[in-house]
Amino acid sequence: MANLISPMSSLNAEKLAQAKSLGFSDRQIAHLTGTTEDAIRAERKRLGLVPSYRLVDTCAAEFEAYTPYYYSTYDRGDDEVKGNTAKKVMILGGGPNRIGQGIEFDYCCVHAAFALKEDGFETIMVNSNPETVSTDYDTSDKLFFEPLTLEDVLHIYEREKCWGAIAQFGGQTPLNLALGLQKNGVNIIGTSPQSIEIAEDRKLFAAMLNKLNIPQPPNGLATNAEEALVISKRLTYPVLVRPSFVLGGRAMQIVYSDAELTHYMKFAVEVSSDRPVLVDKFLEDATEVDVDCITDVGLPNGGTIVIGGMLEHIEFAGVHSGDAAMVLPAHTLSKKVIDTIREYTHAMARELKVIGLMNVQYAVKGETVYVLEVNPRASRTVPFVSKAIGKPLAKIAAKVMAGKTLKEIGFTEEIWPKYWAVKESVFPFNKFIGQDILLSPEMRSTGEVMGLDADLGVAYAKSQMAANSSLPVGGKIFISVSDAHKNEVAAVAKQFSDLGFELVATGGTANVLEKAGLKVQRILKLLEGRPNIVDLLKNKEIQFVINTPSGAAPREDEIKIRTTAVYTGTPIATTLSGAKAAALGIAALKKSGYAVKTLQEYL
């Protein structure tokens, strides 16, 4: 292949056709010939070199296959796509599932296909993941099993003569294509790519918040390590650092020192003037809140904004929203805070002229509400909220994006459930031996479950059962917390003691608990000898663990305790807020047990 691709000046039709037949993308050819992807695309079109689409033979030649399931090829042969005059909408899927971009986005794509079919559109699904419902042959009218690249999406859009395309239901992957598609003539329906850019670009986002007089954590933008250090000195540690346009919080980190920040800027991210790093003051012990709303304010005859759900995180701010346990409706926020969140959400939706779904992440410190992030697209909490309130938000949003107002659809009132819905995340830690289980701003979960009940404690307990981490109703609880949490740990330990648990702790934590008048069984630290907590865990003598990290760099013995708890199937809380939720759940179970209802009975 070394002599196949030559400089652009000598790239003739035969060589270009051969390169495409061998699977080279326009971007690869552009790189090898020292030109641009746009130039290669223009040259191909001038030569009439475009792919044809073949039907997947799902009947193995035994019968004629009618399944509308296509793949592209540059080999010679007839194009097998069946044409028609229907008004077509293309839906861009999420591509391969991985940590950070999971099945929640596929749910939104599937519901969009169903909704648009109901309204008379022909739906064209583009996705390259065989393990999803969106790539089932009967989900959409036509399925193109193709990579989610600018080149491949444009081919299909032009071949099918689509009326519009939805890029906001598949997560960050298709969203990153929106501007490029629009520049090439694609009608991106729903919120405009320009509004999405305002939310994604940190400078534009900060300018919008200043205009609306909405607070965000003090922050700065850095394009190199020196700038980052100057900003962090102004903000004071800890700070949250994150790159622009990331998937699942990738490379987001809380740093506590100059050395950590320098290491992050050098090794964790590629930084440039086009892709700066945002340095945020990290709000310790703040409560994080996710809000999903749907609006038609960007439509000519629209103007309605409906909040689908406010989800209050159980863990303090700093845990990625895809990993955090959440409660709907919010359970500790004051009326003033809830009204402020509602006001800010409406203001940003109007400013961004959102059409369809929008997700906002807030941090609440005292009575002050800070905006952390705005995503004018479907979020990973949409399926959970939809099931909790009984309204298919993704379906409604798809119809809004295609031009219907919320009044026409009949969804104009916010729903505040009279029961509790708890979302818990499922993690793959037992598959990764030695991997610490502490949660961070970078997403690590691979699924989620729901607990529903009229009692918040029971709802939380149900969520733990579903996540294969059932709460115990008795036995021994091991407690070991950092110095920063020692002033709060006695109150939490007393809750468990009052519930009938025996307390087990190592030296420092045991001293604090005994001073508070609690009876404690002392246990050796790992480095002090045996029997220690790891021995007790392996012997199944411990029924619950509370272990909070000692600092930015967890000690080896802490990691050993947490990983042993995972391997032995022992429930563990790594935050005091998680431990309090567990105590609430255990108390509810001991008092009244739990009953089972169908989702329909709740709704």
Side-chain angles (χ1 to χ4, degrees), residues 327-329 417-422 450-463 465 588-589 592-599 602:
V327 178
L328 186 154
K418 292 182 171 61
Y419 46 84
W420 302 99
V422 177
M450 174 191 276
L452 279 179
D453 203 87
D455 183 291
L456 177 57
V458 175
Y460 181 80
K462 286 179 177 179
S463 74
M465 293 176 201
L589 287 178
S592 55
Y594 67 92
V596 177
K597 282 185 183 179
T598 64
L599 192 60
Y602 282 106

Side-chain angles (χ1 to χ4, degrees), residues 170-362:
Q172 196 70 37
T173 301
L175 205 64
N176 288 344
L177 297 174
L179 272 176
L181 291 170
Q182 188 186 57
K183 288 174 184 175
N184 282 276
V186 173
N187 174 29
I188 301 290
I189 64 172
T191 308
S192 73
Q194 286 71 30
S195 290
I196 294 169
E197 187 79 2
I198 290 171
E200 293 277 358
D201 185 289
R202 296 301 166 184
K203 286 183 180 177
L204 298 175
F205 180 56
M208 180 192 78
L209 294 182
N210 288 336
K211 176 184 174 183
L212 298 174
N213 198 28
I214 295 175
Q216 67 177 142
N219 64 75
L221 286 170
T223 57
N224 55 54
E226 290 72 26
E227 289 180 6
L229 288 167
V230 170
I231 294 166
S232 63
K233 186 174 183 180
R234 170 171 58 86
L235 301 179
T236 70
Y237 291 106
V239 295
L240 175 67
V241 284
R242 50 181 165 167
S244 307
F245 299 94
V246 296
L247 173 72
R250 188 191 61 77
M252 289 173 63
Q253 189 174 319
I254 301 166
V255 298
Y256 294 82
S257 67
D258 286 354
E260 283 183 46
L261 183 58
T262 302
H263 184 273
Y264 174 88
M265 296 296 291
K266 186 175 181 181
F267 296 106
V269 290
E270 292 182 15
V271 190
S272 69
S273 56
D274 294 330
R275 287 287 186 268
V277 164
L278 179 69
V279 184
D280 267 332
K281 172 61 182 172
F282 178 62
L283 302 173
E284 291 187 284
D285 297 337
T287 300
E288 195 161 337
V289 181
D290 260 71
V291 174
D292 283 313
C293 81
I294 187 167
T295 172
D296 59 13
V297 292
L299 292 176
N301 54 343
T304 306
I305 302 168
V306 181
I307 289 178
M310 289 187 194
L311 299 103
E312 183 179 341
H313 292 211
I314 289 174
E315 292 88 358
F316 285 129
V319 174
H320 191 280
S321 62
D323 287 353
M326 302 181 188
V327 178
L328 186 154
H331 65 298
T332 67
L333 304 181
S334 68
K335 184 180 183 301
K336 177 186 173 186
V337 166
I338 289 170
D339 289 343
T340 302
I341 288 173
R342 191 175 288 119
E343 176 193 335
Y344 290 172
T345 303
H346 283 227
M348 289 184 288
R350 287 198 170 88
E351 182 67 20
L352 291 168
K353 298 180 176 62
V354 174
I355 304 171
L357 289 164
M358 182 178 84
N359 169 263
V360 191
Q361 292 166 24
Y362 294 98

Side-chain angles (χ1 to χ4, degrees), residues 356-537:
L357 289 164
M358 182 178 84
N359 169 263
V360 191
Q361 292 166 24
Y362 294 98
V364 179
K365 183 90 169 174
E367 293 286 288
T368 305
V369 178
Y370 298 91
V371 174
L372 299 177
E373 195 171 333
V374 176
N375 298 302
R377 58 165 171 82
S379 74
R380 57 176 50 82
T381 49
V382 163
F384 177 86
V385 172
S386 298
K387 289 183 179 182
I389 67 171
K391 293 291 182 181
L393 296 181
K395 269 189 173 182
I396 296 168
K399 294 188 177 193
V400 168
M401 293 164 82
K404 278 190 175 178
T405 65
L406 287 170
K407 285 181 180 177
E408 289 174 310
I409 295 168
F411 183 58
T412 58
E413 296 294 326
E414 186 177 326
I415 296 172
W416 199 269
K418 292 182 171 61
Y419 46 84
W420 302 99
V422 177
K423 187 210 96 169
E424 182 57 280
S425 300
V426 179
F427 299 93
F429 295 127
N430 60 347
K431 309 289 186 188
F432 299 97
I433 295 172
Q435 176 67 46
D436 196 5
I437 67 169
L438 285 181
L439 303 181
S440 72
E442 187 166 358
M443 185 173 165
R444 304 168 81 181
S445 64
T446 51
E448 61 184 44
V449 294
M450 174 191 276
L452 279 179
D453 203 87
D455 183 291
L456 177 57
V458 175
Y460 181 80
K462 286 179 177 179
S463 74
Q464 300 310 296
M465 293 176 201
N468 294 320
S469 186
S470 297
L471 297 175
V473 291
K476 292 184 177 181
I477 175 171
F478 172 74
I479 305 175
S480 175
V481 298
S482 67
D483 291 341
H485 298 129
K486 283 195 166 64
N487 60 335
E488 301 175 66
V489 70
V492 177
K494 187 176 186 306
Q495 286 182 279
F496 283 92
S497 180
D498 291 345
L499 289 168
F501 284 84
E502 296 178 46
L503 307 181
V504 180
T506 51
T509 303
N511 290 337
V512 173
L513 299 182
E514 286 172 346
K515 283 181 182 176
L518 296 169
K519 184 180 178 183
V520 185
Q521 176 188 337
R522 287 177 174 265
I523 185 81
L524 295 173
K525 292 182 179 180
L526 267 62
L527 298 176
E528 293 174 344
R530 304 179 72 173
N532 54 48
I533 181 55
V534 168
D535 296 321
L536 266 62
L537 283 167

